[in-house]
């Protein structure tokens, strides 16, 4: 098994370009209010599916920025689920559809919108030519100076692996059996569950901590060989 790395935002590089987004995804699932199992009200901020088009459900779905009951969340979730890649988690607050709004300034090869990864189209094509897998870019609905932005795409990063329980604090509760919430802060030293690691992806999210994006050593080597910028790499262990 090769080496794996958690990627992050190279803030110094990004500040040097001066670019930023005034945007949001076109649709989203509401936050959960008062789970009947754990009583928590919560929303995930890691899962985004830019490939999903909910236009056909416009009359059935009213995605408003307000928490909903578990029953309403389940109703909306089951309407959306058939449109997602198979096996994809769909937590409260999941973001759907293209990134919509304004792109201001200039951007490095990789940029971040919360936990979504935006990449320059030409750089993505260069990475794909290296044979990397799991790098699928989707057009945004961003504009700059009132013109469509065509050189930036959002990567749809699938959830395929998980943190190993060894990096959880001892008092961490099991995920809620009703809503699936895992009350876990980001570990100082993430450890990957080796048995869950995919063999067919060079970029993926973690199923139990979706804000963490993981890449293979092949991905890191290709980014560095091509001179692409905007990312930091932190090697993570597996067990």
């Amino acid at each position: 098994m090769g080496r794996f790395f958690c990627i992050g935002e190279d803030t110094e590089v990004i500040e040097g370009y001066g670019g930023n987004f005034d945007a949001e995804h076109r649709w989203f699932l509401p936050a959960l209010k008062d789970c009947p199992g754990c009583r928590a009200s919560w929303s995930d901020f890691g899962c985004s599916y830019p490939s999903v088009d909910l236009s056909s459900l416009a009359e059935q779905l009213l995605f408003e920025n307000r928490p909903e009951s578990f029953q309403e969340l389940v109703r909306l979730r089951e309407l959306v689920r058939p449109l997602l890649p198979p096996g994809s988690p769909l937590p409260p607050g999941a973001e759907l559809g293209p990134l919509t709004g304004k792109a201001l300034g200039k951007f490095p090869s990789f940029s971040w919108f919360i936990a979504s990864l935006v990449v320059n189209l030409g750089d993505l094509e260069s990475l794909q030519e290296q044979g990397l897998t799991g790098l699928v870019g989707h057009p945004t609905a961003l504009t700059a100076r009132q013109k469509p932005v065509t050189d930036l795409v959002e990567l749809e990063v699938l959830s395929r692996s998980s943190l190993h329980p060894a990096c959880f604090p001892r008092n961490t509760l099991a995920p809620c059996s009703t809503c699936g919430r895992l009350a876990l802060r980001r570990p100082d030293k993430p450890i990957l569950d080796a048995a869950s690691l995919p063999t067919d992806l060079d970029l993926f999210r973690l199923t139990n901590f979706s804000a963490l994006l993981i890449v293979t050593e092949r991905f890191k080597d290709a980014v560095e060989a091509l001179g692409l910028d905007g990312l930091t790499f932190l090697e993570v262990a597996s067990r």
Side-chain angles (χ1 to χ4, degrees):
M1 183 178 298
R3 300 160 68 198
F4 291 88
F5 300 83
C6 175
I7 57 173
E9 181 179 51
D10 191 328
T11 55
E12 183 176 349
V13 165
I14 290 174
E15 288 174 359
Y17 281 86
N20 65 85
F21 300 111
D22 181 11
E24 63 182 7
H25 288 92
R26 184 163 292 169
W27 301 285
F28 49 89
L29 282 183
L32 173 60
K33 181 180 180 180
D34 298 332
C35 169
C38 64
R39 309 310 304 174
S41 296
W42 67 285
S43 177
D44 184 274
F45 68 94
C47 282
S48 62
Y49 299 101
S51 68
V52 174
D53 184 356
L54 300 186
S55 299
S56 62
L57 301 177
E59 294 182 2
Q60 295 174 274
L61 298 177
L62 294 175
F63 290 98
E64 298 183 1
N65 189 18
R66 65 183 185 193
E68 295 286 358
S69 68
F70 180 72
Q71 291 76 14
E72 177 64 5
L73 176 66
V74 169
R75 183 185 77 83
L76 296 174
R77 186 173 61 194
E78 295 313 307
L79 286 170
V80 173
R81 193 180 299 282
L83 304 176
L84 266 65
S88 298
L90 196 52
E95 301 181 8
L96 308 157
L99 192 58
T100 304
K102 296 180 180 180
L104 309 172
K106 296 182 179 181
F107 297 87
S109 302
F110 291 94
S111 306
W112 294 83
F113 176 75
I114 309 176
S116 296
L117 195 57
V118 178
V119 60
N120 179 278
L121 179 57
D123 293 331
L124 173 60
E125 292 171 346
S126 296
L127 288 170
Q128 291 170 333
E129 290 172 358
Q130 300 298 311
L132 298 181
T133 57
L135 305 186
V136 180
H138 295 274
T140 70
L142 295 168
T143 61
R145 297 180 180 178
Q146 299 182 341
K147 295 182 179 180
V149 174
T150 59
D151 59 343
L152 296 177
V153 295
E154 182 181 349
L155 295 179
E156 185 159 89
V157 185
L158 301 179
S159 300
R160 287 292 183 270
S161 186
S162 57
L163 289 171
H164 193 281
C167 64
F168 296 1
R170 291 185 178 181
N171 60 350
T172 301
L173 299 177
C176 173
S177 59
T178 301
C179 69
R181 178 177 181 265
L182 177 63
L184 178 67
R185 293 184 178 181
R186 174 174 172 152
D188 293 332
K189 295 182 178 180
I191 302 172
L192 304 178
D193 182 354
S196 70
L197 288 168
T199 58
D200 60 342
L201 295 175
D202 288 300
L203 168 68
F204 52 92
R205 292 188 189 277
L206 298 183
T207 57
N208 56 359
F209 207 99
S210 59
L212 282 180
L213 274 63
I214 305 297
V215 300
T216 62
E217 187 174 10
R218 286 204 318 155
F219 181 101
K220 178 177 182 291
D221 289 347
V223 166
E224 293 176 345
L226 292 168
L228 308 185
D229 56 3
L231 294 180
T232 61
F233 297 90
L234 174 67
E235 185 168 4
V236 290
S238 60
R239 185 180 303 177

